[in-house]
Structure formats: C-alpha cells, structure tokens
Amino acid sequence: MFRTSRTGGALGVAVLVSVALLPHDRAAEPLPEGLTLRQAIDEALARSPVLQSRRTEVEQVEGRLLTAKTYPFNPAVEVEAARRTNGESTTDREIRLGQEIQIGGQRRRRVAAATAELDASRTALVREERLLEARVRAAFVEALRARELRDVESANAEL
C-alpha cells in the first residue's frame, strides 16, 4: 500500500498524524481515499476528545452562571416543640421564619464572576478548535504533498 521511499514515509507520517487525532476506538478505521480538507477538519472537530472535554466544561460553566443568576434563597420555616414534665405537663412550641438576603452586591458579583468564567471557557474552546484545525490542515497539506511526490516519482519511474 505505501512505498518505503522518502515520499511514502512522508505520506505515512501524515496519515499517522491524522489517525493520532482520532479517538483510540476509531483509529483503526481506514481513512477514505476521497477525503476533502473540510471533511477532515469536520471529523477531527467532531471526534476530538480534547474538544469534547472543553465543550463539557463550557456546559458546566453555563450551569454555574444559571445558578448564579437564580435567586436561590427561599424562605425557611422551622417548627419546634418540646414537652416538659416538672410536676405539671407543659409543651413549648416555637416557630421561626427566616429569609437570607444578599447585600452589598453579592449576587451581582457572583454573576459577574460566572460570566467571566464562561467567557474564558468559551475562549479556550475556540482556541483548541483553531489549534486542532491548524494541525489537521498541516497534516492534510503534508499528505497531499506526499501524494503528489509519489505520483511524480511513479511517472518518473515509468519514463
């Protein structure tokens, strides 16, 4: 399938780089012959475990932002009862109503911190996507270069 010449080695390296970007369970599948650059980039973006991790991180931070925006403090009602027997039997009853109130812009600060964390997480995801796309582009160009060199060598050998 691959020649052991210099160009075949470059093509093999390019294919190995492309396969290394795939998760281990899918790495054994052969790459299609008519793979376009856009298809290669889309596959790498869809299958990358690093990007899947970053996407999960973004979802978690979005959840924390939603939690920060939600007013989490419901009124609390506590009821207590106690029985005393000191000669005469009595029952003490107590009812408490409590409400936690945020003061000093606590909620605003919590929302601002969660928003900043979400922005940072989304930026990290975009950065990882761009880095992966650049690596796929480089591997794809190297594979095309190696294929062209192989074709030129084959034509040269026929001449």
Side-chain angles (χ1 to χ4, degrees), residues 27-49:
E29 292 182 11
L31 294 173
E33 186 64 32
L35 185 68
T36 66
L37 176 60
R38 186 75 252 159
Q39 290 170 337
I41 290 171
D42 291 343
E43 284 291 316
L45 292 175
R47 294 181 179 186
S48 171

Side-chain angles (χ1 to χ4, degrees), residues 41-66:
I41 290 171
D42 291 343
E43 284 291 316
L45 292 175
R47 294 181 179 186
S48 171
V50 173
L51 289 182
Q52 290 172 357
S53 172
R54 290 283 185 191
R55 289 181 190 116
T56 302
E57 181 182 319
V58 168
E59 289 174 4
Q60 290 172 349
V61 174
E62 286 172 345
R64 286 196 288 273
L65 177 60
L66 180 63

Side-chain angles (χ1 to χ4, degrees), residues 123-159:
T123 301
L125 173 62
V126 169
R127 180 180 180 276
E128 287 294 332
E129 286 174 342
R130 288 180 181 165
L131 287 173
L132 178 60
E133 187 172 335
R135 288 195 307 263
V136 170
R137 285 180 186 275
F140 193 85
V141 167
E142 183 60 30
L144 286 178
R145 185 184 76 78
R147 184 182 296 164
E148 292 296 321
L149 286 174
R150 182 195 66 199
D151 292 345
V152 166
E153 270 190 24
S154 295
N156 196 16
E158 287 179 17
L159 286 176

